Amino acid sequence: MAVIETGKPIIKNLNKTQKMVLASLIFATALVLAVVESMLPPPPIPVPGVKFGLSNIAVMYALFFLGWKQAYAIALLKGIFVFATRGAIAGALSLAGGVLSITVMLLLMVMFRSKISYTGISIFGAVFHNVGQFTVIALLYAGMNIWAFLPILLVSGVIAGIVTSTLLRFVMPAFQRLV
Amino acid sequence: MKFFKKSDILIAAVLLIVSLGVYLVYDSIYGQSETRAEIYYYSELAKTVELNSGETGNFSISQEPDVVFHISDDGTIAFVESDCPDKVCIKTGALDSVGQYAACLPNGVVLKIVPAGERNVEDPDIVVGR
């Protein structure tokens, strides 16, 4: 666990090829997590379509311990995968949420460094994942009223952020074995 | 960087309070007003229905006859039939207050509730891409 607390783990010593292989393994993990999540019953809340975003665990691992390029690459690949399997709209939603979420998490990491925790970053990541998706829905379809949905976006983001960062904490040893 | 910090509780609390505040302000402005449902087909307004007129029944829009809506006598509107695979639109349930929406993204149909009466600058709608 000392590896986790100090931030930059063993991954620093990897060469380019090893990093690429690791990124693709994490991408595969993200896809598996998305499949697992689709098999779980939806969270018991009255709002449809809201989920924890378990595959964000893999994206966050890539962002925190591998590098921002790999994190963006995984979000892009995931967008393409969703586009291929579930259609253009779902792909655009996945991509917009993923890219905005990574951008915000990256900014927070650079701005606050050790002053913010992974959980804090994860909460903002989840909130902006929601905001990105909502923006695409509003752009593609009729003008939506963001104020009516902001409470839902914020609350579900806070819960999802805490859930994913807690899970990341527990699956971390498994991820480290990939290296 | 640590996994948890005390400041996380503060972050979560601030976000929750903001969302509660937005909800309360929004509800106090639009909670009790008369409502109207607008049905959009790919960002194009396809149909407008008054919800408080007492009329009930099923209907659909000409662009997408496979999607059926139902208005109940309590002034709510809902998707009841759709040929989409996931039925998220139907699972959304009945809508009755301003700002709620239900969407059938595979069919490009969006149902949303707006204040009754003419659209004006006071409306909170952010209209984009039209």
Side-chain angles (χ1 to χ4, degrees), chain A residues 79-126:
Chain A
I80 294 170
F81 180 80
V82 173
F83 173 79
T85 53
R86 287 172 30 217
I89 294 158
L93 288 177
S94 165
L95 194 61
V99 169
L100 185 65
S101 150
I102 292 173
T103 307
V104 168
M105 290 198 284
L106 192 61
L107 282 176
L108 288 173
M109 282 172 76
V110 172
M111 279 163 62
F112 293 101
R113 293 177 183 277
S114 60
K115 283 183 206 146
I116 193 162
S117 71
Y118 291 126
T119 305
I121 291 176
S122 168
I123 290 173
F124 280 105

Side-chain angles (χ1 to χ4, degrees), chain B residues 94-106:
Chain B
L95 313 180
D96 60 354
S97 50
V98 171
Q100 286 185 317
Y101 81 99
C104 184
L105 298 190

Side-chain angles (χ1 to χ4, degrees), chain A residues 43-93:
Chain A
I45 43 170
V47 189
V50 173
K51 49 184 185 169
F52 292 128
L54 293 186
S55 61
N56 275 354
I57 298 171
V59 175
M60 284 194 312
Y61 179 83
L63 179 65
F64 294 158
F65 301 109
L66 200 53
W68 59 273
K69 283 180 196 160
Q70 283 82 358
Y72 277 117
I74 289 170
L76 186 66
L77 286 169
K78 191 158 175 278
I80 294 170
F81 180 80
V82 173
F83 173 79
T85 53
R86 287 172 30 217
I89 294 158
L93 288 177

Side-chain angles (χ1 to χ4, degrees), chain A residues 4-5 48 89 93 113-121 123-124 137-149 151 154-155 158 165-166 168-169 172, chain B residues 1-5 7-8 11-12 15-16 18-19 22-23 26 40 42-43 88 91-92 98-101 105 108-110 112 124-130:
Chain A
I4 295 164
E5 298 299 335
I89 294 158
L93 288 177
R113 293 177 183 277
S114 60
K115 283 183 206 146
I116 193 162
S117 71
Y118 291 126
T119 305
I121 291 176
I123 290 173
F124 280 105
I137 294 176
L139 284 172
L140 281 178
Y141 298 97
M144 292 291 179
N145 186 344
I146 186 100
W147 293 106
F149 294 98
L154 287 178
V155 172
V158 168
S165 83
T166 308
L168 177 63
R169 178 79 172 78
M172 189 66 102
Chain B
M1 207 167 1
K2 286 181 178 169
F3 252 95
F4 297 105
K5 277 187 145 190
S7 59
D8 293 341
I11 292 172
L15 288 174
L16 292 179
V18 167
S19 58
V22 170
Y23 173 76
Y26 195 87
Y40 290 85
Y42 288 105
S43 281
V88 166
K91 285 179 198 150
T92 306
V98 171
Q100 286 185 317
Y101 81 99
L105 298 190
V109 177
V110 173
K112 69 170 186 166
D125 297 280
I126 300 164
V127 180
V128 263
R130 285 211 278 143

